[in-house]
Amino acid sequence: MSNKKISRKKIFSEAKLDSPIYKRTLKINDYSNSLIWVLVIICSIIYMNTCLNDYCLDDTLFITENKTTQKGFAGITEHIGQDLLYGYKQVKSKTAASSGWRPLSLITYSIEIGVFGKNKPGISHLINVFLYSCIVVLLFLLFYKYLLKEVWLSFFSALLFAIHPIHTEVVANIKGRDELLCLLFLLLSLFYLWKHVQSSKHMQLFLSFLFFFISLTAKENSFTFLLGIPVMLYFFSNFMTKEIVKYAGGFLVVSFFYLLIRNSIVPFGGIAPNPEIINNAYLFAKGFEPLFTKLYVLLFDLKMLFFPHPLSYDYSFNQIPYKNIDEPWVWVSVFVFFVMFITAIAGFRKKNVFSFCLIMLLITLSIGSNLFVDIGMIFGERLLFIPSIYFCLFLVLAGNRLINHPALNTKKSVLTIILITPLFLAGSYKTITRNEEWKNEQLLTLADISKSPNSARANCGAGGAYLFYSFNKEIPKSRRDSFIIEAIGYLKKSIQIYPEYNDALLNLGVAYSQIDSTVKAEVYWEKVRKSTPNHPKLKYFDNFLADKYLSEGMDYARKNILDSSLYYFNKALFYSSRNDSLKVNCLYNLGGLYFTTGNFEKAHEAFGKIMEINPDYQNARQGFLESGKLLGK
């Protein structure tokens, strides 16, 4: 008999159609194909209600108020050539919170607008559901074909991932597409890497490198797999260290190529830290507070993987307060992760699959931990999207070991149902109901304020929601007023937590302007002007104040209370400085008042300023000439 190796393909091509090996293989393939459809159907069922949702939160930054995205196909090259928020800010970013280069998801939004038109959130949500289904299927195939090579373990691992409620932020928020695309192309990269490992075809390795690069253009989370890929190769292949290092080197080169391109578009140097605590989580931390808080958050990560409740869109300042050396949960975290690390190392040499899960969990948690790279946020549910893969895998493997324990005499199928059913029902229910809370920004912020009561941002969001409802002129005035009172309460709590929070200060001004408390509105807007003179929203509020004070000045003029009229005209002039039309109106009324009171010098000056702005303003020209004659000019 020849010792020549016969390929798997050749074995099947030469097997008879009625042979046992053919029938067994056909049965497994049918099984896996059916399970793929089951996973797709489950993903569709638990996330299809997101297609009824609107845009929400950061969707404004990347879609609805992003001028580049709104160009459709014409915006694609601009997405590629500029930083993450260029389309929204229309300036190149110099702050750490927005200076990234993640063009892929932005390109997909532009393509959507080019194909379907603007303001189609249902289409965007449907695409997110489709991408998520693809991820779940790829995860199943990767486990089944190359890692676990056991159909049911692979299926249940993918199933638990599919229904885990921690993923709702990623899927239900259209902006979460960057996370979806990152993981999708990362899994494609891993899938083709393992195809290459089995077949040694260079095209498959090239595709693996290509998909890894594309994954990085969606989000930088894939960088953790520069360590994760060698770990996977060690545990699930027979490669020697030299070969593993060779593959790792290839992905390192791809990453370096990405960084070169990224740096040429959005340079790393000269980027300033964000000046607001909302986007710079450890801005106010002192001494060892950052370290102890990060250690605590790692334990919080595990808690949310095990028990994802309650879920909130925001965990920023000061929902998770800074921790110090006397915080017991910090030391619980240190102990838990020390045990995880020791357990992972203990099984490393034997290539224990539990050890693999723990190592990969630690690796993928690292990027969101702030321990190695400052990401600006203290915690976010989306940061657990990739780590949850290894949590679900660990859980299924642990359940499988329990089911197969010699002491248990119950049928495996019964035990499996007992273990899976409550997880499936609880996870699905939580996911579906959480999706409904992502309906729009107002519903989400009001649903989550009870979950993040100490967050400045969450209180600001709740206040903004009530303020939004107060603008509805179709409801009774008494109800609108009650909404404004609710808004003021939440907004005041927000600035109590963070006194320099511009968004809350601006909204407080709006709330008071709605109940004709212009002086109070001005106080809060001036606080923003003092800290951030060039805040883009101030120009809108300046117009409001200019109109309001101009109107009051005219009222006092009609009542012949000229001192008060003069005071309000001058205030109106101050706030009209960035609006020529308003400025001309203020100057004209001010000039007329000065002329009436005999202050011809001031009148002449006011009319002269109007002529500089609009030389064709005949009434102003006449006033300028008459006041000049009286002054002998």
Side-chain angles (χ1 to χ4, degrees):
M1 182 180 291
S2 171
N3 291 325
K4 184 179 179 181
K5 285 187 177 180
I6 303 175
S7 70
R8 180 179 175 85
K9 182 178 178 181
K10 189 166 184 177
I11 290 175
F12 293 133
S13 66
E14 292 180 355
K16 293 182 179 180
L17 295 180
D18 59 349
S19 66
I21 188 172
Y22 180 83
K23 288 181 177 179
R24 186 163 63 251
T25 305
L26 185 61
K27 183 179 179 180
I28 291 173
N29 286 335
D30 286 345
Y31 228 40
S32 62
N33 289 338
S34 300
L35 293 177
I36 286 172
W37 283 109
V38 169
L39 291 170
V40 170
I41 291 169
I42 288 172
C43 289
S44 301
I45 290 173
I46 64 174
Y47 279 106
M48 193 53 69
N49 61 341
T50 62
C51 296
L52 302 174
N53 293 354
D54 205 342
Y55 296 109
C56 192
L57 297 181
D58 288 348
D59 292 344
T60 56
L61 304 183
F62 300 106
I63 306 171
T64 57
E65 294 182 19
N66 190 298
K67 293 180 180 179
T68 303
T69 300
Q70 292 295 308
K71 293 178 183 178
F73 292 118
I76 292 176
T77 54
E78 198 169 287
H79 283 316
I80 296 173
Q82 300 292 346
D83 68 79
L84 182 62
L85 286 181
Y86 177 81
Y88 177 75
K89 293 185 173 181
Q90 292 296 292
V91 293
K92 291 188 176 182
S93 174
K94 293 295 180 183
T95 60
S98 59
S99 60
W101 183 63
R102 302 172 185 171
L104 186 58
S105 58
L106 297 172
I107 290 171
T108 66
Y109 302 142
S110 286
I111 292 173
E112 279 181 46
I113 289 174
V115 174
F116 302 105
K118 299 179 181 179
N119 196 29
K120 297 289 192 301
I123 297 294
S124 299
H125 284 296
L126 184 62
I127 291 172
N128 273 22
V129 176
F130 171 74
L131 293 173
Y132 188 66
S133 301
C134 291
I135 287 170
V136 172
V137 169
L138 270 173
L139 198 59
F140 166 68
L141 292 175
L142 183 66
F143 286 156
Y144 171 47
K145 289 180 176 289
Y146 303 114
L147 303 185
L148 302 179
K149 297 182 180 179
E150 205 288 324
V151 68
W152 285 110
L153 289 179
S154 302
F155 171 75
F156 285 125
S157 298
L159 177 65
L160 282 187
F161 179 86
I163 64 170
H164 202 303
I166 204 72
H167 302 157
T168 49
E169 180 185 19
V170 171
V171 186
N173 186 11
I174 299 171
K175 183 267 170 192
R177 189 173 301 173
D178 54 357
E179 301 279 356
L180 292 169
L181 290 170
C182 175
L183 182 53
L184 176 67
F185 283 99
L186 177 61
L187 290 174
L188 282 170
S189 175
L190 297 175
F191 189 83
Y192 277 95
L193 173 64
W194 285 101
K195 283 179 74 73
H196 167 76
V197 167
Q198 287 196 353
S199 68
S200 298
K201 291 182 179 179
H202 296 303
M203 177 54 71
Q204 291 166 351
L205 184 60
F206 170 77
L207 288 173
S208 179
F209 289 152
L210 175 64
F211 288 137
F212 188 76
F213 175 83
I214 295 173
S215 176
L216 290 170
T217 66
K219 202 167 185 180
E220 300 86 347
N221 295 354
S222 299
F223 274 123
T224 57
F225 278 76
L226 291 177
L227 183 57
I229 287 172
V231 169
M232 294 178 71
L233 289 172
Y234 169 78
F235 273 90
F236 297 102
S237 77
N238 294 319
F239 285 157
M240 303 297 290
T241 303
K242 184 178 179 180
E243 292 173 290
I244 293 174
V245 170
K246 181 181 70 174
Y247 281 106
F251 286 97
L252 192 62
V253 170
V254 172
S255 300
F256 182 71
F257 180 63
Y258 161 81
L259 291 173
L260 282 177
I261 296 175
R262 189 248 193 234
N263 188 58
S264 68
I265 296 170
V266 187
F268 291 103
I271 296 174
N274 195 283
E276 276 205 328
I277 187 69
I278 304 299
N279 295 308
N280 189 353
Y282 295 98
L283 183 65
F284 298 158
K286 299 175 182 177
F288 287 100
E289 284 180 340
L291 174 62
F292 291 121
T293 307
K294 292 168 187 178
L295 291 172
Y296 167 81
V297 171
L298 281 172
L299 185 66
F300 189 74
D301 289 340
L302 291 184
K303 177 265 173 186
M304 293 300 286
L305 287 171
F306 273 104
F307 187 65
H309 178 82
L311 295 173
S312 174
Y313 77 96
D314 184 73
Y315 298 85
S316 61
F317 187 82
N318 193 28
Q319 181 57 31
I320 300 178
Y322 296 142
K323 307 298 179 184
N324 222 316
I325 193 168
D326 58 348
E327 173 63 51
W329 289 113
V330 170
W331 296 107
V332 172
S333 179
V334 171
F335 174 76
V336 168
F337 277 88
F338 177 75
V339 170
M340 287 173 61
F341 180 77
I342 294 299
T343 304
I345 296 301
F348 186 80
R349 289 180 61 85
K350 296 179 180 180
K351 298 188 177 182
N352 183 291
V353 71
F354 287 102
S355 176
F356 166 77
C357 292
L358 292 175
I359 291 171
M360 291 301 295
L361 183 61
L362 292 171
I363 290 172
T364 53
L365 281 175
S366 65
I367 199 167
S369 68
N370 284 288
L371 285 169
F372 305 104
V373 179
D374 187 1
I375 62 171
M377 60 190 300
I378 200 163
F379 173 77
E381 291 162 15
R382 60 188 176 275
L383 300 176
L384 299 179
F385 189 47
I386 294 178
S388 66
I389 294 173
Y390 304 100
F391 169 79
C392 292
L393 178 58
F394 185 94
L395 212 60
V396 168
L397 293 172
N400 182 61
R401 178 162 292 186
L402 176 65
I403 289 168
N404 288 292
H405 197 281
L408 296 175
N409 298 319
T410 311
K411 286 185 177 181
K412 292 182 182 180
S413 57
V414 174
L415 286 172
T416 302
I417 292 171
I418 291 172
L419 289 175
I420 289 294
T421 301
L423 290 175
F424 177 78
L425 293 176
S428 299
Y429 175 79
K430 181 69 175 177
T431 298
I432 292 170
T433 54
R434 179 59 178 166
N435 291 338
E436 293 172 353
E437 294 178 341
W438 279 91
K439 174 69 177 176
N440 56 48
E441 188 160 332
Q442 289 73 42
L443 285 176
L444 179 67
T445 52
L446 293 179
D448 285 6
I449 185 58
S450 61
K451 307 165 189 175
S452 297
N454 299 315
S455 162
R457 186 184 180 201
N459 278 281
C460 181
Y466 279 117
L467 200 55
F468 175 84
Y469 290 136
S470 74
F471 295 146
N472 186 353
K473 301 299 182 182
E474 296 180 1
I475 60 177
K477 185 179 183 301
S478 59
R479 194 173 181 196
R480 294 203 305 271
D481 290 344
S482 68
F483 283 148
I484 293 172
I485 291 170
E486 290 281 1
I488 290 173
Y490 282 115
L491 292 168
K492 282 190 172 181
K493 184 173 181 182
S494 180
I495 61 171
Q496 183 181 357
I497 297 168
Y498 177 31
E500 297 174 354
Y501 191 11
N502 283 342
D503 288 352
L505 291 168
L506 291 171
N507 280 340
L508 255 177
V510 174
Y512 279 114
S513 72
Q514 288 290 97
I515 53 176
D516 294 327
S517 296
T518 307
V519 174
K520 286 187 177 180
E522 183 182 11
V523 167
Y524 288 110
W525 290 339
E526 283 303 307
K527 287 183 179 181
V528 176
R529 191 187 309 279
K530 186 177 180 180
S531 63
T532 318
N534 296 318
H535 197 291
K537 289 186 178 180
L538 283 175
K539 62 182 180 181
Y540 303 110
F541 302 129
D542 285 353
N543 290 342
F544 171 84
L545 290 172
D547 269 331
K548 200 75 174 177
Y549 287 134
L550 180 62
S551 178
E552 289 195 40
M554 294 175 73
D555 285 343
Y556 280 112
R558 281 191 287 268
K559 296 173 184 176
N560 206 33
I561 307 176
L562 301 185
D563 286 346
S564 295
S565 179
L566 182 63
Y567 171 79
Y568 283 110
F569 280 157
N570 274 304
K571 283 183 74 70
L573 180 62
F574 172 78
Y575 288 113
S576 68
S577 61
R578 290 188 285 186
N579 186 322
D580 283 349
S581 177
L582 264 175
K583 189 175 183 179
V584 164
N585 203 1
C586 292
L587 285 167
Y588 186 74
N589 283 279
L590 195 59
L593 182 61
Y594 280 132
F595 196 93
T596 301
T597 56
N599 193 338
F600 302 119
E601 186 69 43
K602 287 285 188 180
H604 188 70
E605 182 183 339
F607 292 132
K609 288 179 179 178
I610 294 174
M611 301 306 298
E612 292 174 7
I613 299 170
N614 183 4
D616 297 327
Y617 198 141
Q618 292 301 321
N619 290 342
R621 180 178 292 277
Q622 184 179 348
F624 180 75
L625 293 174
E626 289 184 9
S627 59
K629 284 180 183 179
L630 292 170
L631 290 168
K633 293 183 180 180

